[in-house]
Amino acid sequence: MEIETVGVVGAGQMGNGIAHVFALAGYGVLLTDISQESLDRGRQVIERNLDRQVSREKISAEDRDAALARIRTTLTLSDLGQTDLVIEAATERETVKTAIFEDLVPHLKPNTILTSNTSSISITRLASRTDRPEKFMGFHFMNPVPVMQLVELIRGIATDQETFDAMHRVVERLGKTAATAEDFPAFIVNRILMPMINEAVYTLYEGVGNVSSIDSAMKLGTNHPMGPLELADFIGLDTCLAIMNVLHDGLADTKYRPCPLLTKYVEAGWLGRKTKRGFYDYRGETPVPTR
């Protein structure tokens, strides 16, 4: 089961990062999204990030040019059917992901492996909506993809050993490290990380500390490179809320109840860096706490 061509669904923050690392590792990449604007923006981000790697002498200019030459784009989802591996990196909503896989299935080669970059949704359930649950896996990259070294590999109940071994080899070729997780809500990283972020929001909600004091306390007191509220803004508060809801619904434990303040920020459209406002206001030269 040799993989040489990869289809990536979604050219956003995660999708363009995934396309970047695969192209740099020598894979042919076909990137798709629902608008040409999204594809153009995704390619610009890839070019900018590759240029940064060249300037820091992580890669050569020749490596950058070769990687860019390996990335093609398309607005037609069915074009990805001829690739060896498909990685879905669309928004963290199960209905969206399911619709993508159902549209894609009729166009797939018999041996194409399907994966989802979901950070929390059941792999078994997503796989059951396809014609190849045995060739379906969770393939969860960390953000930002070109920098972070970990990939979570999640088997669904039907995933076969051949598929798992093939994906493990892919992770090695990318120069990253695989962590194997069982198919439970939010897997490993977000099962631990998101309740910490949610608790930081509760600490803010209850007036224990303000945004600055909470983030400073965690950075200086526990040596975290980024405070939990700053990290939440970086991830996207809508994504944080979606994962907390998956944990709360899937495990039925009140300790995973999303903080009402997190819900309020999302309802206001204050989703973090991507909307210029979250726990910090990013509209000026330096971020300013909103509480």
Side-chain angles (χ1 to χ4, degrees):
M1 196 179 283
E2 289 304 314
I3 294 166
E4 292 299 334
T5 56
V6 180
V8 180
V9 183
Q13 195 171 40
M14 296 304 294
N16 69 59
I18 292 168
H20 173 144
V21 298
F22 270 89
L24 207 50
Y27 292 93
V29 177
L30 185 57
L31 181 63
T32 189
D33 209 305
I34 57 174
S35 74
Q36 189 61 49
E37 182 186 6
S38 297
L39 288 174
D40 292 343
R41 190 165 54 243
R43 190 171 181 92
Q44 287 166 7
V45 172
I46 294 168
E47 289 180 14
R48 193 162 61 243
N49 289 338
L50 285 167
D51 285 342
R52 185 179 296 121
Q53 287 180 304
V54 172
S55 69
R56 293 177 179 173
E57 299 184 345
K58 302 281 188 185
I59 63 172
S60 68
E62 291 76 16
D63 291 336
R64 174 198 60 202
D65 295 343
L68 286 171
R70 293 187 192 106
I71 299 172
R72 296 181 296 121
T73 60
T74 180
L75 289 170
T76 307
L77 180 65
S78 59
D79 289 347
L80 273 60
Q82 294 309 301
T83 59
D84 303 323
L85 165 66
V86 173
I87 305 166
E88 172 274 314
T91 187
E92 191 68 359
R93 290 209 303 273
E94 187 168 348
T95 52
V96 173
K97 294 179 184 297
T98 298
I100 287 167
F101 288 121
E102 288 179 346
D103 288 348
L104 195 52
V105 159
H107 308 283
L108 296 174
K109 296 191 300 183
N111 288 325
T112 297
I113 294 174
L114 291 177
T115 65
S116 176
N117 183 57
T118 179
S119 51
S120 61
I121 297 167
S122 167
I123 299 304
T124 297
R125 200 160 60 236
L126 289 174
S128 72
R129 304 299 292 270
T130 75
D131 66 341
R132 59 195 68 202
E134 72 286 352
K135 294 186 184 302
F136 194 108
M137 277 192 68
F139 202 42
H140 182 216
F141 288 82
M142 306 298 123
N143 185 32
V145 180
V147 176
M148 302 296 278
Q149 291 302 301
L150 182 73
V151 181
E152 284 185 309
L153 292 180
I154 307 105
R155 304 182 204 228
I157 197 169
T159 306
D160 63 27
Q161 189 64 39
E162 186 182 17
T163 300
F164 177 82
D165 290 343
M167 297 315 299
H168 208 286
R169 289 194 298 272
V170 168
V171 174
E172 289 176 349
R173 181 168 160 184
L174 294 176
K176 296 189 182 293
T177 300
T180 305
E182 293 300 317
D183 186 21
F184 287 96
F187 320 128
I188 296 171
V189 172
N190 283 315
R191 171 75 175 264
I192 297 166
L193 174 64
M194 285 302 158
M196 184 196 78
I197 287 175
N198 194 53
E199 195 62 30
V201 183
Y202 266 114
T203 305
L204 178 66
Y205 177 61
E206 293 168 6
V208 180
N210 60 25
V211 169
S212 294
S213 60
I214 291 166
D215 276 352
S216 294
M218 293 305 290
K219 283 192 284 189
L220 302 177
T222 61
N223 212 25
H224 288 193
M226 194 181 287
L229 301 175
E230 183 185 1
L231 179 57
D233 276 357
F234 181 75
I235 293 167
L237 303 192
D238 52 339
T239 300
C240 294
L241 180 60
I243 295 169
M244 286 308 302
N245 280 326
V246 166
L247 280 166
H248 192 228
D249 295 345
L251 298 171
D253 192 323
T254 55
K255 72 180 179 180
Y256 299 116
R257 183 171 68 97
C259 179
L261 184 60
L262 178 60
T263 302
K264 184 177 287 187
Y265 268 70
V266 173
E267 287 173 346
W270 291 20
L271 309 181
R273 285 178 178 266
K274 61 187 173 186
T275 59
K276 304 294 186 187
R277 276 196 289 189
F279 293 114
Y280 293 84
D281 189 324
Y282 300 93
R283 293 174 296 176
E285 285 189 18
T286 56
V288 177
T290 54
R291 280 181 178 252

